[in-house]
Amino acid sequence: GWFAGLWEGDGSLTYRGDNRRGHANSRWFYLTVTQSDPRPLHYIQDKLGLGKVAIKRAASYKPNWKTAYQYRITGAHKGLPILEKMLPHLRFRADLVERTIAEIEAHGWMNKPYSEDEMQFIRNSASGLTDKQIAAKIGRTEDAVKQERWRLGIHKQQHRREVEIVV
């Protein structure tokens, strides 16, 4: 509950999962808290076991301003569990968090690690199914499956109408 209160007062939430203009990299998620004292932010990082603390704005930005530090969780696959834990403790921004959770679930988790079962399914299905068919079966996007297939060293070479699997 303490993190939820701190975030409601000094935090922000950014999520865009609409893949604008067909670019996979146009999706992003940030959950941040900004403070002039970095100690609470390092405490959050230690307690949650994730995220980074960095200088957001140096004191030299304006003469009478203090240095601002920011704690940031990047990636919906990391942030969604935190949002779900925060939600029952929120008083003023629960609607924002509820909408964001719904959008993340509708679009899928960006950069969600592949399970061993998913990787094995890709290995076993690459020669018989298209990336689009594999994506539909495991709940990923076609581009994500293609990238993971390449990462696994499975490359499809097209020769006219035939597809050859090269491992």
Side-chain angles (χ1 to χ4, degrees):
W2 57 269
F3 179 66
L6 183 63
W7 175 80
E8 273 192 307
D10 293 325
S12 67
L13 174 61
T14 304
Y15 176 72
R16 187 170 91 195
D18 59 356
N19 195 7
R20 294 185 185 187
R21 289 181 256 138
H23 299 290
N25 292 335
S26 68
R27 299 176 184 169
W28 65 76
F29 174 96
Y30 301 121
L31 181 67
T32 66
V33 175
T34 303
Q35 297 272 296
S36 60
D37 183 350
R39 292 175 297 177
L41 304 178
H42 287 291
Y43 179 79
I44 293 167
Q45 184 181 31
D46 291 341
K47 287 295 179 186
L48 296 180
L50 59 108
K52 294 184 180 182
V53 177
I55 293 176
K56 179 180 179 185
R57 180 189 63 244
S60 61
Y61 181 72
K62 291 211 175 179
N64 58 338
W65 286 17
K66 294 181 179 179
T67 297
Y69 299 89
Q70 185 177 72
Y71 169 75
R72 177 183 284 194
I73 297 172
T74 304
H77 66 288
K78 295 176 187 171
L80 183 60
I82 303 301
L83 292 178
E84 291 172 336
K85 288 178 184 174
M86 286 174 31
L87 187 56
H89 305 284
L90 298 175
R91 290 178 173 243
F92 308 108
R93 297 168 81 186
D95 58 331
L96 169 66
V97 171
E98 287 171 345
R99 284 193 319 269
T100 303
I101 289 171
E103 281 190 46
I104 291 169
E105 290 172 347
H107 290 101
W109 287 9
M110 185 173 140
N111 299 328
K112 176 184 168 190
Y114 281 79
S115 69
E116 188 55 45
D117 288 342
E118 289 173 316
M119 290 186 285
Q120 193 59 47
F121 184 81
I122 292 170
R123 287 184 196 102
N124 294 342
S125 304
S127 62
L129 298 176
T130 65
D131 291 341
K132 187 175 185 175
Q133 291 168 325
I134 293 170
K137 294 214 182 259
I138 64 173
R140 301 280 185 153
T141 66
E142 183 178 357
D143 286 342
V145 168
K146 180 179 180 180
Q147 289 175 4
E148 183 64 12
R149 181 175 48 75
W150 274 85
R151 194 191 69 72
L152 293 170
I154 304 167
H155 309 291
K156 292 185 178 184
Q157 295 179 348
Q158 294 193 8
H159 302 287
R160 295 186 189 175
R161 295 188 179 246
E162 300 172 13
V163 176
E164 177 186 344
I165 301 297
V166 179
V167 180

